Amino acid sequence: MSATPEIRAQSVSDASSAQPDARTRRTVLKAGGALLLSVLAPSRAMAAQILAVRVWPAEDYTRVTLENDAILKATHFTVKDPERLVVDIEGLELNPTLKSLVAKIQSNDPYIKQVRVGQNRPNVVRLVFDLKEEVRPQVFTLAPAGNYKHRLIFDLYPVKEADPIAAMIEKGDWSNDGKSSKTDSASSGGKVAAVETPATPAAPNTAAETARPEHEGRTAEVAAKPAEKYDHNGKLVRMLTVVLDPGHGGEDPGASGKNGSREKDIVLAIAKRLKNRIEEIPNMRVMLTRDGDYFVPLGTRVEKARKVQADLFVSIHADAFVQPTARGSSVFVLSEKGASSTAARWLADKENLADTIGGVNVRNHDRQLASVLIDLSTTAQINDSLKLGKSVLGEIGGINRLHKGSVEQAGFAVLKAPDIPSILIETAFISNPEEEAKLLDEGYQNQLADAIVKGIRRYFAKNPPLAKNRLT
């Protein structure tokens, strides 16, 4: 029996209405497949973009930074004969910014001879660092901090770490040749900081000393017997060591002024002027925690001072505040019981962020050392620091308005050497246009350096340091 016309018409209508449904399903399946492929397959459009490349060469280590808009995964290995470091970065395509890394390697870089950059395979860029000597590389990433996006860091450390005393000897800073051992009058009216202790005859060589191998000729000899000199009465005069710590550096610019000045540059210039003035004083020498534009972690700054058995530690900064009207100089010391003011606590918290902004490899960071420094900070160290801070603050008050008329206290990580009187000087507010102009003026920098020297000499005149054991 044949179907009625109505049924045939209904069947045709049903078939025609089914065709668009099939086409829709096919379209959806194709779109879904394309989307899945775009997610799973590498895509040039989705590759991370390098935003900036920076190189920070220094004697301590060389840092190479790749700043990018996403987290990068990198693997690395070293190759010998000749020495090379090879780094493969995934999820990356070459762009002009990354290629510019080649031109940023300086001929005087202590560790990198040159770098080669190429597309090793799709979505993988390879960097090959041709090295001047064997290095101990650290490759790590940093989360966004401050004004920075994601960063991929290559720190190239020498296999044989630099000895700060040997470095000072090489520069001529660890010798009292040409220095006078007689006392002198400080311009502030106090006596020079020469420390005299009764001379004692040299002990006979022990078996260990006899068996000790010679190290690098004269360098080891001077390091074992640092800067000893006798006055006309036969008394031993000990050299005093001051460690100057220019804040920030390298990846961490510190605060900035309205006219574009950077804290890290200003405080380094002031520290160098201060170094020159202190070294003019008989029986005093200086070590800088950094003498160039590179980053030094807070704990490393303290460790450097302890390695040379510093008598004083002076950290130099240029403050900033949210309001440009803030002004004046300040001196801070460590506090065990909390900050002396809300402003001091705010400043300490900000300065302690230096490791986050400057970039520390957390996996290799010596947290145990940091803990020991906190635990061993003593009341005696803080009391001596307060005396030093008061002397320096009084002298600075003669050339600039003081933000507060007394020494303040807060938990600054860089002041936590347990056995070294330590102060942090905020020279002026770089965020104040008038004070920024002062900080950039060579005349003011000289006045500031002179004032700090007077404060240091006044402190030593009233608080002569004790004799210390020989460095070995």
Side-chain angles (χ1 to χ4, degrees):
M1 182 178 177
S2 61
T4 63
E6 290 81 8
I7 296 176
R8 285 197 302 269
Q10 185 178 1
S11 300
V12 171
S13 174
D14 291 342
S16 62
S17 65
Q19 288 177 2
D21 291 340
R23 285 196 299 269
T24 301
R25 285 195 296 270
R26 285 195 297 271
T27 302
V28 171
L29 288 173
K30 287 181 179 179
L35 178 62
L36 184 61
L37 287 173
S38 67
V39 172
L40 297 179
S43 170
R44 288 179 178 268
M46 296 183 67
Q49 292 296 311
I50 297 297
L51 305 175
V53 294
R54 296 180 290 273
V55 182
W56 309 101
E59 292 182 6
D60 290 12
Y61 71 108
T62 289
R63 167 169 289 189
V64 178
T65 301
L66 305 185
E67 186 177 359
N68 37 279
D69 61 358
I71 299 175
L72 294 179
K73 181 180 179 182
T75 57
H76 69 280
F77 57 93
T78 56
V79 182
K80 304 191 73 66
D81 300 324
E83 296 288 342
R84 284 157 288 166
L85 170 65
V86 181
V87 182
D88 286 339
I89 309 172
E90 298 179 16
L92 196 61
E93 299 289 337
L94 273 178
N95 69 357
T97 303
L98 185 54
K99 290 180 181 179
S100 70
L101 177 62
V102 175
K104 291 184 179 289
I105 303 301
Q106 302 174 19
S107 60
N108 63 347
D109 189 298
Y111 306 109
I112 303 176
K113 185 183 301 181
Q114 65 178 5
V115 62
R116 290 170 280 149
V117 182
Q119 195 75 45
N120 181 254
R121 55 189 184 275
N123 234 36
V124 176
V125 166
R126 170 165 288 187
L127 309 181
V128 179
F129 294 93
D130 294 319
L131 305 172
K132 294 180 178 179
E133 63 177 73
E134 185 180 2
V135 300
R136 178 171 49 86
Q138 292 186 18
V139 180
F140 57 99
T141 58
L142 294 172
N147 296 323
Y148 294 124
K149 303 294 184 183
H150 294 275
R151 285 171 289 171
L152 178 61
I153 304 289
F154 315 122
D155 283 348
L156 309 184
Y157 289 90
V159 171
K160 183 179 180 182
E161 293 185 8
D163 181 345
I165 296 177
M168 292 176 74
I169 294 170
E170 186 176 346
K171 292 179 181 178
D173 296 337
W174 197 269
S175 170
N176 62 349
D177 293 340
K179 298 275 189 181
S180 172
S181 62
K182 63 182 180 181
T183 58
D184 185 19
S185 296
S187 55
S188 60
K191 294 182 179 180
V192 74
V195 180
E196 297 183 348
T197 56
T200 54
N205 288 340
T206 63
E209 288 175 329
T210 304
R212 180 185 299 164
E214 293 191 10
H215 302 283
E216 302 176 5
R218 182 176 178 273
T219 297
E221 179 184 346
V222 180
K225 298 181 179 180
E228 293 179 355
K229 197 165 186 175
Y230 297 89
D231 66 7
H232 59 280
N233 294 321
K235 291 185 176 180
L236 177 65
V237 179
R238 180 171 71 81
M239 292 287 287
L240 300 177
T241 304
V242 177
V243 171
L244 301 179
D245 173 51
H248 309 283
E251 285 290 290
D252 176 19
S256 59
K258 184 178 179 180
N259 295 316
S261 60
R262 301 180 299 185
E263 180 180 7
K264 67 176 183 177
D265 301 324
I266 290 173
V267 298
L268 180 60
I270 293 172
K272 287 183 175 180
R273 293 179 189 276
L274 182 55
K275 179 179 186 292
N276 291 337
R277 281 160 173 73
I278 292 177
E279 288 177 338
E280 292 174 355
I281 302 172
N283 305 305
M284 293 188 73
R285 60 192 168 201
V286 176
M287 184 189 81
L288 295 174
T289 58
R290 69 176 179 95
D291 56 6
D293 188 12
Y294 57 96
F295 175 70
V296 181
L298 298 175
T300 303
R301 296 169 188 261
V302 178
E303 188 178 3
K304 283 187 171 189
R306 300 194 76 211
K307 281 184 176 179
V308 298
Q309 292 192 353
D311 295 286
L312 294 182
F313 180 90
V314 180
S315 192
I316 304 172
H317 293 256
D319 204 355
F321 195 64
V322 291
Q323 296 179 352
T325 54
R327 62 180 300 171
S329 303
S330 305
V331 176
F332 296 84
V333 303
L334 184 65
S335 171
E336 286 186 306
K337 301 178 181 179
S340 56
S341 69
T342 302
R345 182 185 302 108
W346 177 85
L347 181 62
D349 290 342
K350 184 167 69 71
E351 296 293 1
N352 290 345
L353 286 175
D355 281 354
T356 301
I357 297 172
V360 173
N361 186 358
V362 176
R363 290 173 298 179
N364 289 39
H365 192 44
D366 195 341
R367 292 187 176 275
Q368 184 178 2
L369 170 65
S371 175
V372 168
L373 294 181
I374 293 172
D375 294 341
L376 291 182
S377 295
T378 63
T379 301
Q381 185 261 24
I382 292 175
N383 287 340
D384 286 340
S385 300
L386 284 167
K387 294 175 184 176
L388 171 63
K390 185 177 181 180
S391 295
V392 172
L393 187 68
E395 297 296 339
I396 292 178
I399 65 163
N400 192 35
R401 173 181 174 178
L402 297 180
H403 186 65
K404 191 172 182 180
S406 60
V407 177
E408 295 204 70
Q409 293 183 256
F412 292 90
V414 79
L415 300 180
K416 291 180 177 177
D419 47 358
I420 306 171
S422 303
I423 62 174
L424 185 146
I425 302 173
E426 292 287 356
T427 53
F429 278 86
I430 195 174
S431 53
N432 182 309
E434 292 182 10
E435 294 207 330
E436 179 189 14
K438 276 187 174 183
L439 290 169
L440 291 169
D441 180 70
E442 291 187 5
Y444 178 75
Q445 290 184 7
N446 287 331
Q447 286 183 310
L448 190 60
D450 289 337
I452 296 172
V453 169
K454 288 179 182 179
I456 290 174
R457 296 181 72 164
R458 182 184 294 276
Y459 166 78
F460 274 135
K462 294 181 179 179
N463 305 276
L466 299 174
K468 290 190 176 184
N469 295 328
R470 289 184 177 185
L471 294 166
T472 57

